[in-house]
Amino acid sequence: MTTPPALLLVGHGTRDDAGAEAFRSFVRDLGRRRPDLPVAGGFIELSPPPLADAVSDLTGRGVRRFAAVPLMLVSAGHAKGDIPAALAREKLRHPGTSYAYGRPLGPHPSLLEVLERRVDEALADPGRDLGTPGGTGSFPGDRARTTVLLVGRGSTDPDANAEVHKAARLLWEGRGYAGVETAFVSLAAPDVPAGLERCRRLGADRIVVLPYFLFTGILPERVRQQAEGWAKAHPETEVRCADVMGPTDELAELVWERYEEAVRGDLRMNCDTCVYRVALPGFEDKVGMPQQPHHHPDDDGHHHHHHGGHAHAH
């Protein structure tokens, strides 16, 4: 009987110790869920363990076949270029190994359910009010007066930013919110204050800021701080901040779904609006760019580099 490929989780990395530990803890939990399967996880940058160490750990256990799943919500430069390039590098370092590459998590229905749950928790907890501590009571079920501001990481890749808008629209559909708007915490407009101002001008008197992040970290905390600053300047608008999604059962089940897809070779990656394959206005120079691993100098939201292409990710 052929041994199934090991699961290799790939994270972005963060300078926030709690966020990095949340990823590592999630990887350990996945291993407990499938004790028959070797499981490891590593980061592209900023946090230990690096991806190379995770691969070395697995090859040291005799693993030769991998299914790599990016623990990322959108397919930006990391998923399209950096991870495939890093996997190609590891293949050279460990002759005889082979990799199947899964797709990012995306706006999957099960994750939309988690987001919906986080909004409900924020509505039910007056302690989450950013402008007036203690708030004005709970409003469970009163979604018709609630506008949600979904805040993504932000990217220089227009396709990745569009995926956040898609998640926002899917979250809006059928759930009875007054609206779901979109903002980004770095690298893309509108930023959090501009997103909140847009909600206000559209008539919102109650806004739930919803971080589109898996785990806690520097950027989700920045989302909360920026929302708090805007809320204090606009006391007439009730603003509450929801939690990040966190290591839920839904997330674990989705990772296994992405793993099975990769093992079967059923990837279905989106190429129609990929900046490395299609000449999008203002991004024509990126078409066909070679993929090369890189290292971010920091996590301050100002990445001075160009992402590589992703010919090998398809």
Side-chain angles (χ1 to χ4, degrees):
M1 182 177 172
T2 305
T3 305
L7 170 61
L8 177 63
L9 264 290
V10 188
H12 179 282
T14 173
R15 292 194 183 281
D16 181 78
D17 290 340
E21 179 53 33
F23 172 91
R24 292 189 291 260
S25 174
F26 181 67
V27 171
R28 291 192 293 269
D29 178 61
L30 286 173
R32 286 191 290 269
R33 289 169 184 258
R34 288 284 294 272
D36 57 312
L37 201 67
V39 176
F43 294 102
I44 290 293
E45 60 192 1
L46 298 173
S47 316
L51 183 63
D53 286 7
V55 173
S56 294
D57 170 51
L58 289 170
T59 57
R61 291 192 255 163
V63 170
R64 290 295 175 264
R65 296 169 63 230
F66 297 81
V69 175
L71 203 67
M72 299 174 184
L73 290 166
V74 300
S75 186
H78 290 292
K80 291 177 177 177
D82 299 334
I83 297 174
L87 295 176
R89 182 179 56 199
E90 294 307 314
K91 193 172 180 180
L92 292 175
R93 285 180 178 167
H94 302 278
T97 56
S98 63
Y99 295 86
Y101 184 41
R103 54 183 177 133
L105 304 172
H108 192 277
S110 63
L111 295 188
L112 294 172
E113 290 179 7
V114 176
L115 291 171
E116 180 181 11
R117 202 156 68 232
R118 297 292 175 257
V119 172
D120 284 344
E121 290 165 359
L123 288 175
D125 182 4
R128 292 178 183 274
D129 271 21
L130 298 180
T132 52
T136 53
S138 65
F139 302 92
D142 189 8
R143 296 182 179 185
R145 282 187 54 208
T146 300
T147 298
V148 177
L149 182 65
L150 185 70
V151 183
R153 172 183 290 273
S155 172
T156 56
D157 185 332
D159 183 41
N161 296 330
E163 287 189 36
V164 181
H165 278 264
K166 181 177 182 178
R169 182 68 212 190
L170 289 169
L171 183 65
W172 191 356
E173 294 282 351
R175 289 182 173 83
Y177 302 122
V180 180
E181 297 297 321
T182 311
F184 301 95
V185 73
S186 68
L187 297 174
D191 61 14
V192 175
L196 286 164
E197 181 63 20
R198 175 178 169 82
C199 293
R200 186 188 70 80
R201 293 189 181 197
L202 287 171
D205 57 8
R206 179 188 308 139
I207 305 168
V208 173
V209 177
L210 179 60
Y212 193 46
F213 287 82
L214 293 174
F215 304 128
T216 187
I218 289 173
L219 294 181
E221 178 58 24
R222 187 179 297 161
V223 171
R224 193 194 66 78
Q225 291 171 353
Q226 291 181 358
E228 186 174 17
W230 188 91
K232 287 181 176 176
H234 298 82
E236 74 284 0
T237 305
E238 181 185 0
V239 182
R240 297 185 180 185
C241 194
D243 285 336
V244 296
M245 283 184 261
T248 62
D249 287 340
E250 290 93 338
L251 179 59
E253 289 163 8
L254 178 54
V255 166
W256 289 119
E257 187 176 319
R258 292 289 183 259
Y259 168 84
E260 297 292 347
E261 284 177 1
V263 172
R264 293 194 310 265
D266 178 22
L267 297 183
R268 293 176 288 168
M269 179 172 273
N270 171 39
C271 297
D272 293 339
T273 52
C274 170
V275 76
Y276 301 116
R277 292 200 164 219
V278 181
L280 297 179
F283 296 87
E284 293 87 351
D285 61 321
K286 294 199 173 189
V287 175
M289 283 180 67
Q291 47 180 347
Q292 295 177 353
H294 77 280
H295 302 281
H296 285 311
D298 52 39
D299 195 28
D300 65 357
H302 302 286
H303 299 336
H304 302 294
H305 66 269
H306 295 284
H307 285 294
H310 69 308
H312 297 169
H314 293 262

